[in-house]
């Protein structure tokens, strides 16, 4: 009973400690994560062709204003890096229409574990854990990984009470809900679907100030018959960077606008909590996260 009491006390203290994480600390850590992203794409590994820039008032027009694909060239060397391979293995595990129950066989659970472990094998992943550990949020890396697994891969229901969704599916893979694309904020998924002829890039309404990767685009596209008015995503970042930045903002500023600094440029990250169900000691699953574009 004493051990249980101590565990509950430490956990509650740990999470209350996160409220003390300052905006300056988030900016400082995100700048460090940006610098540590050694697996980001270089200009020779990734070439994009953004073509038509439209105004934010025209994003709902559904006009295909770009005749060529967004992704011109993606190096196989980049895609063969451990964290990239681990992410690519996860992207085909989901039924995209909300309301359809997700099956998660043991092989897919193993793929989730591999992805999370590979991200923690990077300097970037270790730096994020070191910071959160110093704030009392997690006492061990294995505890952190387990929480990430529940936060990102834990299933909940977006439709009809069926366990049909997760933060990972919504953000990294994308879903179809009410006849349109929902979520979908990952450049590798975009590239794969475009390469397969299942995604048609229309235009972009935002292009971030970065001249190297990662950059940020706010994109309009059609995914196999379904439209996305603004799908914002980091372009050219590593999978571990995507996971780390979104996790940092979700853990420290859940459901709020979180401001990070990347290469001296400030960017807002919007996260949402899933409030209809919880895991563990009342913790909330991640519902969405993306770069906030004007």
């Amino acid at each position: 009973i004493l051990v249980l009491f101590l565990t509950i006390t430490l956990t509650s203290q740990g999470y209350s400690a996160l409220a003390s994480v300052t905006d300056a600390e988030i900016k400082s850590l995100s700048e460090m994560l940006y610098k540590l992203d050694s697996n980001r794409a270089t200009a020779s590994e990734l070439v994009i062709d953004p073509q038509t820039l439209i105004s934010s008032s025209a994003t709902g027009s559904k006009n295909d204003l770009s005749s060529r694909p967004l992704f011109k060239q993606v190096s196989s060397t980049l895609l063969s890096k451990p964290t990239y391979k681990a992410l690519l293995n996860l992207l085909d595990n989901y039924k995209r229409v909300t309301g359809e129950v997700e099956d998660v066989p043991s092989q897919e659970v193993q793929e989730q574990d591999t992805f999370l472990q590979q991200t923690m094998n990077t300097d970037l992943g270790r730096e994020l854990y070191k910071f959160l550990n110093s704030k009392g949020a997690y006492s061990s890396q294995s505890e952190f990984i387990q929480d990430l697994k529940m936060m990102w891969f834990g299933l909940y229901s977006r439709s009809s009470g069926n366990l049909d969704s997760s933060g990972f599916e919504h953000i990294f893979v994308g879903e179809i809900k009410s006849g349109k694309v929902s979520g979908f904020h990952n450049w590798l998924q975009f590239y794969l679907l475009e390469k397969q002829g299942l995604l048609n890039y229309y235009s972009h309404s935002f292009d971030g100030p970065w001249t190297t990767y990662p950059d940020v685009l706010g994109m309009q596209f059609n995914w196999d018959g379904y439209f996305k008015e603004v799908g914002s995503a980091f372009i050219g970042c590593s999978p571990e960077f995507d996971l780390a930045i979104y996790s940092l903002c979700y853990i420290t500023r859940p459901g709020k606008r979180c401001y990070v600094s990347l290469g001296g440029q400030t960017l807002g990250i919007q996260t949402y909590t899933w409030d209809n169900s919880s895991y563990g000691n009342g913790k909330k699953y991640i519902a969405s996260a993306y770069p906030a574009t004007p």
Side-chain angles (χ1 to χ4, degrees), residues 55-89:
S55 70
S56 55
S57 62
T59 56
S61 59
K62 301 186 181 181
N63 294 324
D64 183 359
L65 301 173
S66 301
S67 58
R68 299 178 301 277
L70 173 62
F71 288 95
K72 200 169 181 179
Q73 178 189 323
V74 181
S75 156
S76 58
T77 310
L78 186 67
L79 299 180
S80 65
K81 291 183 176 184
T83 54
Y84 284 77
K85 284 171 69 176
L87 176 63
L88 293 176
N89 283 339

Side-chain angles (χ1 to χ4, degrees), residues 90 135 202 235 256:
L90 286 167
K135 293 294 179 182
Y202 281 10
I235 307 291
K256 297 178 181 174

Side-chain angles (χ1 to χ4, degrees), residues 16 24 65 88 90 98 134 148 211 220 235 263 270 285:
S16 62
L65 301 173
L88 293 176
L90 286 167
T98 57
S134 75
L148 287 177
T211 53
Q220 292 70 50
I235 307 291
Q270 180 68 50
Y285 299 105

Side-chain angles (χ1 to χ4, degrees), residues 93-98 100 102 152-153 155-156 158 163-176 182-185 189 223:
N93 289 351
Y94 296 91
K95 299 170 186 171
R96 65 178 185 163
V97 179
T98 57
E100 293 187 11
E102 291 295 344
W152 281 95
F153 293 101
L155 293 174
Y156 49 80
R158 286 186 190 263
L163 293 178
D164 61 347
S165 187
S166 66
F168 180 85
E169 179 184 6
H170 184 80
I171 297 161
F172 281 81
V173 183
E175 299 178 293
I176 303 300
S182 180
F184 200 133
H185 302 287
Q189 171 74 334
W223 177 16

